[in-house]
Amino acid sequence: MMELNEAKTPTMYFIGVSTGQSSSKNIFPKWVETLQISPARLIGIDLKIHDKPENYQKVIHFIKNDPLSLGALVTTHKMDLMRACQDEFDEIDPLAYELGEVSSVYKRGGKLFARATDPECGGMALENFLPPNYFSKFDSELLILGAGGSALALVWYFLQGPGKINAPDKIYVVNRSQGRLDHLVRLAEGWGSSSQIIPLVAHDSSVADKVIYSMNPGSLVVNATGLGKDAPGSPITDGAQFPDGGFVWDFNYRGDLLFLDQASLQKQKRSLTLVDGWDYFVIGWTQVIADIFDLEIPTKGHLYDILSQQAKERR
């Protein structure tokens, strides 16, 4: 873990795994100009996947007590950080508390806040490519590969959020470990919607392959594992056969993106729509920046279009 030094200018942190490779380091300086928050800085903090609780605690304790350290955006570690640092936060957004994940850490009035932005931001990114009322019109299903914070947020969107009126009848969730699946199912039961969730433990990629092969035409397959960005590889094999007319969404926008490469080989034959995590990235970042610097940044309209265009130019 990097050494944490007292901030000399207003500083936002990015807590991830390979932050030096993120487009954010190129985009942030331009956004600082546009949003008139100069001389704000962005500093990446790399932690191991499922790092020791004390490492998460060290980072959050530092941000809490360093005056010019204003907050942080959290990727990959959303659930682990929340579990380790819950007592450090003065106020926790009800949804962050319910889901057990934090993506936005920020200060107000001397207090440290934790918020889950993914449920809102993931839904908006989805609405950018999926036709309106899609699951209400077609007998399509949803497969989420992974059961971390962003996967959980997408489940919330369909079971409790704006997507509830347009939710698929079946939501498969495939994960390598049982614990996070159990957490997800418990939440779904509390929401009265557990019958839609089909949780599956996958010790290898063959489980995901079988589910993909069984899905109805037009179904949506999502890579929420981090494989292809935080670690090399893909949660499926090259033999996986995607559903005809389906949508394939990778939450990653950088890395080897092997999952999307696998889908691209079937794109024409199966009429697939391929989507990377770029919109999710831009929407998610702008909302956390709004939290940290106490700004209003809309998710649509003129200002958002400017920020999105600036991001594309520096991608």
Side-chain angles (χ1 to χ4, degrees):
M1 190 177 72
M2 66 165 286
E3 187 178 343
L4 300 169
N5 298 310
E6 178 186 356
K8 303 299 184 185
T9 57
T11 300
M12 169 180 173
Y13 297 89
F14 171 24
I15 302 171
V17 176
S18 54
T19 58
Q21 297 171 33
S22 173
S23 292
S24 58
K25 65 177 183 178
N26 300 320
I27 297 164
F28 189 78
K30 189 63 182 177
W31 281 354
V32 164
E33 285 180 26
T34 302
L35 296 169
Q36 298 180 343
I37 53 174
S38 182
R41 296 177 65 213
L42 177 69
I43 294 179
I45 298 175
D46 290 344
L47 296 170
K48 295 175 183 175
I49 297 173
H50 306 313
D51 212 327
K52 297 175 182 176
E54 55 264 34
N55 287 338
Y56 295 118
Q57 291 160 1
K58 180 180 178 183
V59 171
I60 296 303
H61 185 77
F62 166 77
I63 292 171
K64 184 176 183 177
N65 292 286
D66 186 54
L68 288 177
S69 293
L70 303 186
L73 179 144
V74 186
T75 65
T76 308
H77 308 286
K78 299 179 180 84
M79 298 177 80
D80 292 311
L81 187 144
M82 179 62 128
R83 193 176 300 112
C85 302
Q86 197 164 308
D87 293 341
E88 285 280 356
F89 298 112
D90 298 301
E91 295 202 24
I92 298 174
D93 167 68
L95 190 54
Y97 190 83
E98 183 178 22
L99 298 182
E101 62 136 306
V102 56
S103 38
S104 176
V105 176
Y106 63 99
K107 295 176 179 178
R108 288 287 186 282
K111 293 182 177 181
L112 190 67
F113 285 68
R115 185 162 89 95
T117 57
D118 276 358
E120 178 185 358
C121 298
M124 287 186 287
L126 176 76
E127 290 163 9
N128 279 353
F129 69 83
L130 199 69
N133 303 314
Y134 182 77
F135 289 108
S136 301
K137 296 175 182 176
F138 304 100
D139 189 26
S140 302
E141 300 159 323
L142 168 62
L143 166 60
I144 305 173
L145 301 165
S150 53
L152 189 57
L154 187 59
V155 171
W156 177 90
Y157 170 82
F158 280 117
L159 299 190
Q160 288 288 99
K164 188 173 182 179
I165 57 172
N166 172 40
D169 291 333
K170 290 183 181 178
I171 301 176
Y172 298 93
V173 184
V174 175
N175 195 56
R176 286 184 293 190
S177 61
Q178 188 70 51
R180 288 192 169 180
L181 286 173
D182 291 343
H183 175 59
L184 190 151
V185 170
R186 280 195 300 272
L187 286 171
E189 286 172 352
W191 299 330
S193 307
S194 59
S195 61
Q196 285 168 263
I197 303 295
I198 303 170
L200 297 163
V201 175
H203 298 299
D204 60 57
S205 302
S206 64
V207 175
D209 287 5
K210 288 174 184 174
V211 176
I212 293 172
Y213 184 74
S214 74
M215 295 177 82
N216 292 339
S219 291
L220 169 62
V221 181
V222 179
N223 176 26
T225 65
L227 286 175
K229 178 176 79 78
D230 296 328
S234 167
I236 63 173
T237 74
D238 290 341
Q241 293 187 43
F242 287 91
D244 288 334
F247 289 81
V248 182
W249 187 17
D250 195 335
F251 280 175
N252 301 322
Y253 75 91
R254 63 177 174 90
D256 63 31
L257 300 183
L258 179 58
F259 175 75
L260 283 183
D261 287 344
Q262 291 167 318
S264 68
L265 297 175
Q266 303 174 41
K267 181 179 178 179
Q268 285 189 310
K269 182 180 178 182
R270 302 191 182 279
S271 301
L272 302 177
T273 300
L274 274 54
V275 184
D276 70 7
W278 182 252
D279 277 347
Y280 200 169
F281 164 80
V282 175
I283 293 169
W285 270 83
T286 54
Q287 290 311 292
V288 175
I289 288 171
D291 282 347
I292 291 173
F293 294 96
D294 200 6
L295 305 170
E296 284 288 332
I297 302 179
T299 54
K300 289 180 181 175
H302 182 63
L303 177 58
Y304 178 79
D305 290 343
I306 290 172
L307 296 172
S308 181
Q309 183 58 38
Q310 289 173 340
K312 285 175 185 171
E313 290 168 359
R314 290 159 181 79
R315 183 171 180 177

